[in-house]
Amino acid sequence: MILTAEANGFLSPNGVEIVFLLVGVVTLGAAVITVTTRQLVHAALWLVVALGGLAVEYLLLTAEFIAWVQVLIYVGSVVVLLLFGLMLTRAPIGRSPDADSENRWVALAVALAAAATLVTVVADAFRSTWIDLDRSVQGSPEVTGESLFRHWVLPFEALSVLLLAALVGAITLSRRRGADDAPASPKQER
Amino acid sequence: MTSLVQSVDWVAVAPVLVTALTGLAVLVTDLFLAPRHKPLLGWVTIAGLALAALCLIPLTDGDRATFCLTTGDRQCSYVADHFALAVQLLVVGGALLTALLSVTTVRREALPAGEYWFLLLSSAAGAALLPASRDLATLIVALEVASLPAFALVGLRRGDRGSAEAALKFFLSSVVATAVSLLGVSFVYAATGSLHLDTVAGGLDDVDPRLNALAALGVVLTLVGFAFKLAAVPFHFWVPDSYVGAPLPVAAYLSVVGKSAGFSGLALVTVVAFRPYADTWGPALAVLAALTMTTGNVAALRQRPDQPASAVRLLAWSSVGQAGYLLVPLAAAGYHDDPEEMVGATVAYALMYAVVNLGAFAVVALVAENRPGHRLTDHRALFSRNPLAALTMGFFLLCLAGLPPGVIGLFAKVAVFRTAVDSGLGWLAVVMAVNVTIALYYYLKWTALLFATPTTATPTTTPAARATATTAPAAPTPGTATPGAPGQATAPTATGSTVAGSTATAAREPSVPASVPHPLTAAIALAAALGVALSGAPQLILRLASGTLF
């Protein structure tokens, strides 16, 4: 990261910058449609576009590892989980006019305030900062893995405990009492 | 050439490691145990936590560090200094007392044993890792390890709508708080280029002026996640519902170990990492402290004693108030020239609070053995039913209030007070004094309730009540009209709506002291012994309040 704008002009963008901006606009549009559409399945599918757009942005910034993690985890599992959730709970597939909350104006105000704060602060801080993409690659899996297993072993191990606890907790909470008792009774008979 | 991988000092990480490994062992053992042997798991948990506490002994020099960088300035991710050790003692000890409390609850409410103990242990491991971690990544991960199992523990009471709703509320709001925290961490990282606390402090010292606003916003946002875990106002709304919805030992656990995760994280990020921005977080924490103690105490004051779960609600709100006192030395650190000196008062206060609050929860659990409503009015005339329990409860409440004979509560409050005065935060000291007075009212009211005569209407019926108590076990059918009628007469007027229930319990009460489960008695005895020992020798923990722990 360099903090000068000498070699880079704001009004003479190169190809990567133009693509970055275009993908950004698409991502923003998809995100807006996700929260405004009345059809739940459409919302989930637009979320794929928004999350995939972010992955492309990461790729353009040479953060290869994060980009594929984004595709695998968010597009691959979170959205699929959402769709499964919709299917299993037999949520209405078509238009659902009652899927609107009374709180939408509050939500809109919060969203706008948060966006305004973040955009002003981040834009103010980094407006003259350019990342040199031609230098050594920062976000490749090799660099990430080396740093992770050389310097960040402790949080990595702690995360393993966290994931196991999350798994066990989720199973415990979703198991019904009846399902719990059923396998226990044949054992007692024996 | 040095080694490429980090060297690990296994002795230094032993307290955390033993806790986590015991959790794994319990989870695996649970698969192979017959249902009738399941209570064994509780005792394995207690043994593991005791072992983890013993693992603290070889570390008392406080000079070990591990998981250090192999390059550059060799910053370490895990440091077992005196601050870490003191908080780890609190966490492991608090979890141990919680485990003693839970043995009965797990059996009686038919909670899934293996999962319960595993979640408790993994949460304790996270809370023990947190005070020792010295980089923002480990801090956030440890905070999540401490809190994520707690969501599941809160919702564990199956078939109970309130419990599930409390867990969901707790989960959603906590995840939002952590996300905000992570955003803050990413801003701080962008501004300083490091996650290690000492390097962050150096980086914030001479931050690029263009990144100044970003760094300040990052500092404030990072505090949100930790303030949430401490249940500081305005991040406190999850507390009463979660405490009431959760099994009682889990509520006790959240009020002590959950808070310790919050305040130790706050202490680390403010005093160590964000020291150059003391003029940003100092006033923020001071306002937070004042708001927290006032809101908590005023809400505790408004609890109606005859409502269901009013005892737990009162303890929940009072724990919010106490979190405000815990914040005072941290806020004072923002105004003091030597901020590290201030943190000791918070740790000392937290140790006192942990012992006493867990003790109070244990007595509430004891009373709930016969009167499961968790009402304040259930504690009326506890002295005449169970003098020892009433005396210990009175002691715990006086410690919380800060009155003799709860000497340790008084001294810990004075230590907190002194930090505020020393660093020129006069107004905060005044707010705290007012709050201590408000808290006196409801703690003393509860204490008075313990020693009240069994009847409110006429004191002369006391002998009659005693007579009923002695004849009831001799009666062939203790639920019938004969003992029921006097029982109805002696039932406290406040519980009039549940007369039918209380007549039955009143008739059975004389056999109470014999049927108290042993683990519960052990928990109360342990807490009382610790409280009395600390009151006799307050220097044991007040030592922490003088000098620096880092």
Side-chain angles (χ1 to χ4, degrees):
Chain A
M1 194 168 79
I2 47 173
L3 288 170
T4 51
E6 287 160 17
N8 303 280
F10 188 69
L11 291 174
S12 60
N14 58 26
V16 175
E17 285 169 24
I18 294 173
V19 175
F20 189 90
L21 275 179
L22 288 179
V23 175
V25 170
V26 171
T27 308
L28 180 66
V32 170
I33 298 176
T34 304
V35 291
T36 49
T37 179
R38 298 274 167 117
Q39 304 191 39
L40 284 176
V41 178
H42 286 200
L45 293 176
W46 279 111
L47 196 60
V48 173
V49 178
L51 295 172
L54 275 184
V56 175
E57 302 278 48
Y58 287 138
L59 267 185
L60 289 174
L61 295 174
T62 71
E64 199 184 315
F65 181 70
I66 300 289
W68 295 125
V69 166
Q70 172 86 10
V71 170
L72 281 177
I73 295 184
Y74 285 92
V75 183
S77 59
V78 172
V79 174
V80 170
L81 203 68
L82 271 177
L83 289 174
F84 265 111
L86 287 180
M87 270 160 49
L88 292 179
T89 54
R90 299 175 188 279
I93 300 293
R95 284 176 177 281
S96 39
D98 55 334
D100 236 332
S101 158
E102 294 291 311
N103 295 331
R104 73 184 125 163
W105 297 113
V106 183
L108 186 67
V110 169
L112 284 181
T117 318
L118 290 182
V119 168
T120 34
V121 169
V122 175
D124 175 55
F126 295 115
R127 69 188 149 190
S128 54
T129 310
W130 259 260
I131 299 175
D132 186 4
L133 297 179
D134 299 331
R135 231 176 16 154
S136 64
V137 179
Q138 293 287 311
S140 71
E142 189 187 349
V143 175
T144 311
E146 235 171 62
S147 148
L148 190 61
F149 291 106
R150 199 180 282 174
H151 297 149
W152 300 101
V153 178
L154 182 62
F156 183 80
E157 293 297 331
L159 268 178
S160 66
V161 178
L162 176 68
L163 290 180
L164 182 63
L167 199 66
V168 171
I171 293 173
T172 319
L173 286 185
S174 57
R175 216 166 45 167
R176 296 261 173 81
R177 189 177 286 273
D180 188 29
D181 293 343
S185 46
K187 260 186 216 163
Q188 283 162 357
E189 280 165 20
R190 269 183 283 150
Chain B
M1 165 137 186
T2 51
S3 164
L4 280 180
V5 289
Q6 293 174 321
S7 65
V8 181
D9 181 353
W10 296 101
V11 180
V13 294
V16 182
L17 201 63
V18 167
T19 315
L21 288 181
T22 314
L24 274 184
V26 165
L27 189 66
V28 175
T29 319
D30 178 48
L31 295 175
F32 302 104
L33 272 186
R36 67 195 156 87
H37 293 307
K38 294 271 162 114
L40 212 64
L41 294 173
W43 297 107
V44 172
T45 304
I46 290 167
L49 285 168
L51 185 66
L54 290 180
C55 288
L56 290 171
I57 293 173
L59 306 173
T60 41
D61 288 340
D63 55 354
R64 285 175 183 257
T66 184
F67 288 105
C68 303
L69 291 184
T70 50
T71 52
D73 51 358
R74 302 190 171 274
Q75 288 287 321
C76 295
S77 288
Y78 186 102
V79 176
D81 56 13
H82 286 125
F83 173 78
L85 293 179
V87 179
Q88 281 179 341
L89 178 68
L90 190 165
V91 167
V92 174
L96 188 70
L97 276 174
T98 311
L100 281 173
L101 275 181
S102 310
V103 171
T104 328
T105 316
V106 169
R107 199 187 55 221
R108 190 155 309 161
E109 299 194 14
L111 303 177
E115 288 85 347
Y116 181 91
W117 296 116
F118 167 73
L119 291 171
L120 183 70
L121 281 167
S122 43
S123 172
L129 172 62
L130 199 131
S133 42
R134 288 296 180 278
D135 68 70
L136 289 168
T138 313
L139 265 179
I140 296 281
V141 172
L143 187 70
E144 277 310 284
V145 178
S147 50
L148 200 110
F151 309 139
L153 285 174
V154 167
L156 214 51
R157 210 193 265 163
R158 273 173 291 164
D160 184 343
R161 255 188 97 91
S163 183
E165 195 188 314
L168 190 67
K169 227 186 216 178
F170 183 24
F171 173 69
L172 286 178
S173 44
S174 171
V175 165
V176 170
T178 309
V180 171
S181 237
L182 270 176
L183 186 69
V185 168
S186 72
F187 283 177
V188 170
Y189 179 65
T192 62
S194 174
L195 286 176
H196 286 92
L197 300 187
D198 284 328
T199 323
V200 167
L204 287 180
D205 246 339
D206 50 358
V207 79
D208 189 293
R210 277 173 294 185
L211 302 181
N212 224 330
L214 187 81
L217 186 67
V219 166
V220 172
L221 291 185
T222 307
L223 300 185
V224 169
F226 296 102
F228 180 89
K229 290 302 174 321
L230 187 66
V233 174
F235 313 109
H236 69 288
F237 46 84
W238 56 275
V239 171
D241 288 339
S242 303
Y243 283 24
V244 172
L248 192 68
V250 175
Y253 178 83
L254 283 178
S255 79
V256 170
V257 181
K259 282 207 194 315
S260 88
F263 87 77
S264 52
L266 268 185
L268 283 176
V269 291
T270 53
V271 173
V272 180
F274 301 157
R275 204 180 313 178
Y277 276 72
D279 51 354
T280 305
W281 55 260
L285 284 187
V287 171
L288 220 58
L291 274 179
T292 305
M293 58 177 105
T294 313
T295 311
N297 282 324
V298 169
L301 203 60
R302 291 161 52 99
Q303 292 307 309
R304 300 240 318 270
D306 53 339
Q307 277 182 337
S310 56
V312 179
R313 260 179 209 282
L314 191 135
L315 280 177
W317 282 113
S318 95
S319 85
V320 173
Q322 302 274 354
Y325 306 147
L326 285 174
L327 277 173
V328 168
L330 298 183
Y335 292 87
H336 204 266
D337 300 330
D338 202 0
E340 293 181 353
E341 300 256 324
M342 299 283 119
V343 176
T346 294
V347 178
Y349 193 89
L351 279 169
M352 181 284 294
Y353 169 73
V355 169
V356 170
N357 205 47
L358 281 171
F361 265 106
V363 179
V364 170
L366 180 81
V367 171
E369 287 286 307
N370 300 298
R371 301 178 173 192
H374 297 307
R375 287 184 190 81
L376 272 180
T377 40
D378 295 342
H379 292 247
R380 182 185 296 280
L382 183 63
F383 185 72
S384 66
R385 283 178 278 148
N386 191 343
L388 263 179
L391 283 177
T392 43
M393 186 66 175
F395 174 70
F396 293 142
L397 289 174
L398 289 178
C399 277
L400 282 173
L403 282 183
V407 181
I408 188 61
L410 179 65
F411 282 7
K413 279 206 169 61
V414 170
V416 168
F417 220 74
R418 207 176 47 204
T419 59
V421 175
D422 278 358
S423 44
L425 272 173
W427 66 271
L428 191 59
V430 172
V431 172
M432 186 180 161
V434 171
N435 271 289
V436 170
T437 325
I438 297 178
L440 270 188
Y441 174 74
Y442 59 79
Y443 286 132
L444 283 182
K445 209 169 90 176
W446 193 344
T447 314
L449 204 60
L450 295 173
F451 298 98
T453 46
T455 48
T456 44
T458 45
T460 47
T461 54
T462 312
R466 291 261 166 76
T468 323
T470 46
T471 53
T477 47
T480 54
T482 325
Q488 201 162 7
T490 54
T493 47
T495 54
S497 57
T498 54
V499 167
S502 60
T503 43
T505 50
R508 264 188 283 115
E509 254 161 42
S511 60
V512 168
S515 71
V516 170
H518 295 302
L520 201 54
T521 323
I524 297 176
L526 191 59
L530 280 173
V532 171
L534 288 178
S535 283
Q539 67 274 17
L540 283 179
I541 59 169
L542 291 182
R543 213 157 52 114
L544 298 172
S546 55
T548 173
L549 291 173
F550 291 102

